[in-house]
């Protein structure tokens, strides 16, 4: 049972996570980490973490100057944000290849303005742009980049027709359980179907519970996701972290509690499969 934890590049956060000897560590990066001084600090933190953790993931910054870094960004409408998106993505993938880590890039975030899908007028165009960029990135950094689902119609799981496009291109995926569960309005049946369908493509999981209505980022066992059905559908070759909302960013106890919960689920499933 892999223990995966997440932190920023803050040394106190990293020290807190490393005391638990995780198998997987994910850096949550911001725009500040891509300044000259921020990047040098980040590289030092990467070396420190990699000296103790076998699998490391770099989460691409969610925002640039307060606005979301949509992968499908229209360069004509948002030139500065598009430039940051592309240059930072390439820089992160280059580092991931160099140090044998994985860059995680969101396929989408959230549509705030009706009729504006990352600067495009319709969601189909935005999907095409996002998928084309994913294909190019996957070719740029094979084995070192994954694409995460959101609740945005541009890139969300749960629609068999859209998932068929991902399967056709064999894109390397990251799967956030809560994003899919919320997209599917708390439907465990459809969540399980999506997990099973995309299982061969998933390289990394964000395990997080939810009530299925809002982005609540709950510890495992405190939401409505059926983890007894989810756990067998996870790709055993994929990495995973617990992406839980923390009361204190310097104390990841909610992530550790989630790990203990999943260990109990696994033990009960094993006992049911092989009764004494």
């Amino acid at each position: 049972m892999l223990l995966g934890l997440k932190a920023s590049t803050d040394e106190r956060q990293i020290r807190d996570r490393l005391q638990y000897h995780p198998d997987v560590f994910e850096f949550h990066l911001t725009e500040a980490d891509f300044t000259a001084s921020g990047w040098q600090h980040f590289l030092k933190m990467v070396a420190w973490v990699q000296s103790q953790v076998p699998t490391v993931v770099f989460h691409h910054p969610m925002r640039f100057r307060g606005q979301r870094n949509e992968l499908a960004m229209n360069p004509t409408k948002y030139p500065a944000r598009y430039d940051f998106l592309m240059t930072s993505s390439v820089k992160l993938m280059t580092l991931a290849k160099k140090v044998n880590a994985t860059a995680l890039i969101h396929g989408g975030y959230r549509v705030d303005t009706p009729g504006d899908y990352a600067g495009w007028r319709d969601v189909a165009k935005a999907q095409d742009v996002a998928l084309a960029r994913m294909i190019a990135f996957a070719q740029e950094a094979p084995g070192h980049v994954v694409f995460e689902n959101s609740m945005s119609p541009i890139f969300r799981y749960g629609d068999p027709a859209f998932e068929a496009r991902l399967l056709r291109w064999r894109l390397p995926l990251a799967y956030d359980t809560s994003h899919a569960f919320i997209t599917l309005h708390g439907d465990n049946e459809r969540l399980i179907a999506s997990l099973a369908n995309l299982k061969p493509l998933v390289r990394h999981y964000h395990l997080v519970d939810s009530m299925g209505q809002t982005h609540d980022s709950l510890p495992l066992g405190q939401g409505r996701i059926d983890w007894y059905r989810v756990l067998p559908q996870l790709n055993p070759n994929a990495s995973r972290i617990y992406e839980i909302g923390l009361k204190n960013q310097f104390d990841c106890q909610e992530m550790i509690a989630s790990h203990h919960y999943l260990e109990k689920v696994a033990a009960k499933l094993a006992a049911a499969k092989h009764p004494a």
Side-chain angles (χ1 to χ4, degrees), residues 20-271:
Y20 298 104
H21 307 290
D23 305 290
V24 184
F25 186 101
E26 183 173 315
F27 281 97
H28 185 83
L29 302 174
T30 69
E31 177 186 350
D33 295 310
F34 286 78
T35 63
S37 60
W39 188 257
Q40 290 306 309
H41 173 73
F42 172 46
L43 293 179
K44 291 179 182 178
M45 297 302 100
V46 170
W48 179 24
V49 170
Q50 285 199 311
S51 71
Q52 301 183 45
V53 183
T55 301
V56 176
V57 178
F58 307 143
H59 192 299
H60 185 263
M62 296 172 61
R63 296 175 183 271
F64 175 69
R65 297 177 183 172
Q67 302 297 313
R68 293 180 184 85
N69 283 317
E70 292 286 353
L71 183 58
M73 205 114 54
N74 184 335
T76 301
K77 191 165 184 179
Y78 305 114
R81 203 167 6 141
Y82 170 78
D83 183 62
F84 176 79
L85 166 77
M86 299 302 288
T87 56
S88 59
S89 294
V90 170
K91 190 171 186 177
L92 207 57
M93 290 187 294
T94 300
L95 177 63
K97 289 189 291 185
K98 181 179 179 180
V99 302
N100 194 27
T102 299
L104 182 152
I105 298 172
H106 259 253
Y109 281 103
R110 192 174 77 192
V111 175
D112 292 320
T113 306
D116 183 356
Y117 300 97
W120 307 102
R121 290 184 179 181
D122 63 85
V123 67
K125 172 63 177 179
Q127 283 184 343
D128 289 345
V129 171
L131 288 173
R133 289 176 185 164
M134 288 179 201
I135 292 166
F137 283 175
Q139 293 173 344
E140 170 75 21
H144 296 284
V145 65
V146 293
F147 306 105
E148 182 184 344
N149 60 312
S150 67
M151 294 172 284
S152 163
I154 297 173
F155 194 73
R156 62 189 182 191
Y157 303 155
D159 175 6
F162 183 66
E163 290 184 357
R165 298 181 73 184
L166 305 180
L167 289 161
R168 184 161 60 248
W169 287 107
R170 299 211 51 84
L171 287 167
L173 304 179
Y175 198 115
D176 185 299
T177 55
S178 73
H179 291 168
F181 193 60
I182 295 164
T183 296
L184 298 171
H185 307 291
D187 189 329
N188 271 291
E189 294 294 333
R190 294 175 68 193
L191 175 65
I192 297 301
S194 173
L195 283 164
N197 192 33
L198 295 177
K199 185 175 183 177
L201 301 185
V202 179
R203 302 290 176 264
H204 184 62
Y205 290 96
H206 283 175
L207 302 183
V208 50
D209 216 333
S210 173
M211 297 303 291
Q213 299 177 12
T214 61
H215 197 245
D216 37 10
S217 302
L218 299 175
L220 273 59
Q222 293 188 19
R224 293 182 50 241
I225 292 180
D226 187 345
W227 294 101
Y228 287 89
R229 298 180 64 194
V230 166
L231 187 56
Q233 295 303 331
L234 303 183
N235 187 332
N237 297 315
S239 56
R240 61 177 76 159
I241 66 156
Y242 299 100
E243 194 181 46
I244 313 300
L246 302 178
K247 295 177 183 177
N248 178 0
Q249 291 300 324
F250 304 114
D251 183 354
C252 67
Q253 60 177 308
E254 293 91 345
M255 295 179 186
I256 300 302
S258 295
H259 185 63
H260 292 329
Y261 174 84
L262 202 62
E263 285 182 320
K264 292 178 181 177
V265 169
K268 289 181 180 179
L269 288 172

